Amino acid sequence: MEQAVEQKAVPGLPRLGMPAPPFQAETSHGPIRLEDFKGSWLILFSHPADFTPVCTTEFLAFAQIAPELKKRNVELMGLSIDSTYSHIAWVRNIEEKFKVRIPFPIIADLNKEVAGLYGMIMPGESKTETSRCVFLIDPNGIVRAMIYYPLTTGRNMDEILRVIDALQATDKHGVATPANWRPGDKVIVPPPKTAEAAEERVKAGYECTDWYFCKREVPK
Amino acid sequence: MACINVDGTLVASARRLLLTMLEPTTIEEAAKRAELPLFRVRASMREFLQAGFVSEASSTYVLTDTGRAKLAGQG
């Protein structure tokens, strides 16, 4: 049996499997605390600046996947080093010019407090803008995935959805997911940890290539 | 303040949320009834508590007289 490891928030950048750094922030939807998302998954993402073209395409894309995320109990929250007024103006501009409503809050991180907590500023790229960071935080407030993109590369929403699906499949079925996994594909049965378990594994009825490499179906 | 306008009136979602608390209710129930995400309800509830519009006991929230007056347009 695995020994329970007490998980405590530690100073420093976020780490996979550790509690996400807590914060309270001003957003385009009013003051919000990280703990307000307890019970929901959260995609916390940063963008370099409001009223910039790549960020605008990303916001359109995030808004487009928002209904799919909602079905998966996932909330979205953006962040940049801009004011609330700038966020409100930009969101209104997107609605006016692109006919798309941005349904999620955006943190106005003018003092770089949250950006600093999450390591969203990459000084090699820019000292005044946040890079394109994505933090997937589970309903218990644990950081489950982190994806970083440079200023010049817009994010891939399919990949973000895919990672959410993979993490939720892992939690639901106690499995791992192989490269390029999509819902409906076979999943990886975690390798046995003892010789006896390895012996039993090959007789367990899974689709095994060898004792350490077994797959099975899970409901979509 | 996300729920209360500068002139003291309630924004539409705040009014909708307050209406769910005419009877004692949990955050989860209020979110369902008001069709708002949980995070919005939790953030709003802090504001309502601070303004004295609701009271809380054992994770159940209910409108106060101040909250009822606000809903009735007297506050």
Side-chain angles (χ1 to χ4, degrees):
Chain A
M1 233 171 97
E2 282 187 23
Q3 205 171 1
V5 177
E6 193 184 354
Q7 292 183 322
K8 284 182 183 167
V10 289
L13 296 179
R15 297 268 185 256
L16 293 180
M18 297 298 286
F23 60 82
Q24 172 163 330
E26 288 301 321
T27 80
S28 53
H29 290 196
I32 290 179
R33 295 178 184 171
L34 176 67
E35 69 199 45
D36 291 337
F37 292 93
K38 193 179 168 196
S40 308
W41 287 79
L42 170 64
I43 297 176
L44 173 63
F45 67 96
S46 56
H47 66 278
D50 297 349
F51 293 102
T52 55
V54 177
C55 299
T56 302
T57 64
E58 289 189 318
F59 265 58
L60 292 167
F62 274 121
Q64 197 172 12
I65 66 165
E68 278 303 312
L69 291 171
K70 188 69 83 181
K71 286 182 201 165
R72 293 159 171 79
N73 187 31
V74 182
E75 301 290 349
L76 279 161
M77 185 157 66
L79 176 150
S80 73
I81 303 166
D82 290 295
S83 69
T84 306
Y85 301 113
S86 171
H87 289 333
I88 293 169
W90 185 38
V91 162
R92 288 174 65 87
N93 182 264
I94 290 174
E95 186 157 4
E96 183 194 330
K97 302 293 181 192
F98 298 93
K99 314 297 176 208
V100 172
R101 196 179 75 81
I102 303 301
F104 47 83
I106 313 164
I107 294 175
D109 200 32
L110 280 174
N111 60 6
K112 304 180 188 174
E113 202 173 303
V114 181
L117 266 180
Y118 281 78
M120 292 167 164
I121 297 171
M122 310 288 171
E125 281 210 300
S126 171
K127 291 185 174 70
T128 57
E129 299 165 304
T130 41
S131 292
R132 302 181 194 284
C133 307
V134 183
F135 295 88
L136 305 188
I137 299 168
D138 76 13
N140 297 316
I142 303 296
V143 178
R144 298 293 298 278
M146 302 185 281
I147 316 173
Y148 296 84
Y149 294 74
L151 297 175
T152 51
T153 307
R155 282 164 274 216
N156 184 315
M157 299 300 142
D158 287 342
E159 174 61 1
I160 291 169
L161 266 178
R162 194 191 75 86
V163 177
I164 285 283
D165 283 334
L167 289 169
Q168 292 188 345
T170 292
D171 287 358
K172 190 170 179 186
H173 303 291
V175 295
T177 52
N180 300 322
W181 179 86
R182 294 268 175 192
D185 292 350
K186 287 176 182 165
V187 298
I188 302 281
V189 185
K193 290 185 174 167
T194 64
E196 185 183 12
E199 191 67 30
E200 288 169 4
R201 172 62 56 84
V202 290
K203 298 171 193 161
Y206 298 125
E207 180 190 310
C208 291
T209 305
D210 205 337
W211 63 271
Y212 69 91
F213 193 102
C214 298
K215 289 183 174 181
R216 73 175 175 95
E217 309 240 9
V218 290
K220 198 170 178 180
Chain B
M1 300 289 267
C3 297
I4 306 164
N5 291 311
V6 284
D7 64 0
T9 57
L10 293 166
V11 300
S13 61
R15 173 168 285 276
R16 203 162 76 234
L17 185 55
L18 275 182
L19 281 169
T20 68
M21 285 174 283
L22 290 167
E23 300 297 327
T25 188
T26 63
I27 293 234
E28 289 76 12
E29 287 165 353
K32 269 187 203 160
R33 285 190 214 148
E35 296 182 338
L36 288 169
L38 266 178
F39 78 88
R40 277 288 297 277
V41 175
R42 289 193 180 114
S44 300
M45 218 58 94
R46 274 198 300 277
E47 208 173 315
F48 292 156
L49 284 166
Q50 198 180 353
F53 295 168
V54 299
S55 61
E56 185 259 335
S58 309
S59 302
T60 299
Y61 297 79
V62 68
L63 270 183
T64 60
D65 289 344
T66 309
R68 286 175 191 275
K70 176 58 74 178
L71 270 180
Q74 299 161 9

